[in-house]
Amino acid sequence: MSITPDTKDWTWVLERPCTECGFDPAVQGLADLPRLVRDTATTWLQVLARPDVAARPAPDVWSPLEYGCHVRDVHALFGQRLHLMLEQDEPTFANWDQDATAVERDYAAQDPDVVAAELVEAAGAVAGTYATVTDATRGRRGVRSNGDVFTVETLGSYHLHDVVHHLRDVGVVPPW
């Protein structure tokens, strides 16, 4: 059975806590992102080491491995978008179909050890870029293909929510 695509608009998590995972955008700031992105990657290493990492909890729900692949790709995508925002004036981001990517890259068949290494690498790279953001660049803007406007700061919060939310999806409650 295939996964039902997530078509929700999650941008509301920039304004209020997520009732599903507990993420609160007011609790952390831009300066916290490098540490929190790296901390979540460490937690994902533990998830990807589970003996049943490739087992789906239900036919229409991603396995922890598939979620790990998605999070790896989220880190890479947000890294690209962050670089664009820091280098260009109001770039427009290409649409990303996460569900098509999961099928095209065959998330379910990937090696969890490789995914773990790639996830940590991608998280470290984007965390390093967040660490370079200054007061002068935190408000730089980018536009998603649907017209949603992000600043560097709100992009970081949106990014972190995605990663934290998916930890909850695989049964982990982050301590932060």
Side-chain angles (χ1 to χ4, degrees), residues 71-130:
V71 168
R72 172 204 56 207
D73 292 350
V74 163
H75 285 313
L77 177 75
F78 277 80
Q80 293 164 2
R81 290 179 175 183
L82 179 58
H83 278 285
L84 285 174
M85 292 172 77
L86 294 172
E87 295 167 1
Q88 298 177 16
D89 290 331
E90 293 199 24
T92 298
F93 309 133
N95 187 41
W96 182 50
D97 185 333
Q98 63 189 17
D99 300 297
T101 300
V103 172
E104 289 165 7
R105 296 195 66 189
D106 196 8
Y107 282 178
Q110 292 194 24
D111 181 324
D113 293 332
V114 171
V115 173
E118 292 170 345
L119 189 153
V120 168
E121 182 180 337
V126 73
T129 304
Y130 282 125

Side-chain angles (χ1 to χ4, degrees), residues 1 6 10 12 24 51 56 58-59 62-64 66 73 83-84 87 96-97 104 119 133 147 160 163 165 167 174:
M1 179 177 267
D6 181 359
W10 287 96
W12 59 267
D24 185 347
R56 284 186 169 183
W62 276 349
S63 69
E66 290 167 298
D73 292 350
H83 278 285
L84 285 174
E87 295 167 1
W96 182 50
D97 185 333
E104 289 165 7
L119 189 153
V133 175
L160 184 60
V163 174
H165 196 95
L167 280 172

Side-chain angles (χ1 to χ4, degrees), residues 43-60:
T43 305
W44 276 102
L45 285 176
Q46 296 165 8
V47 169
L48 290 164
R50 293 176 183 170
D52 63 345
V53 69
R56 284 186 169 183
D60 61 342

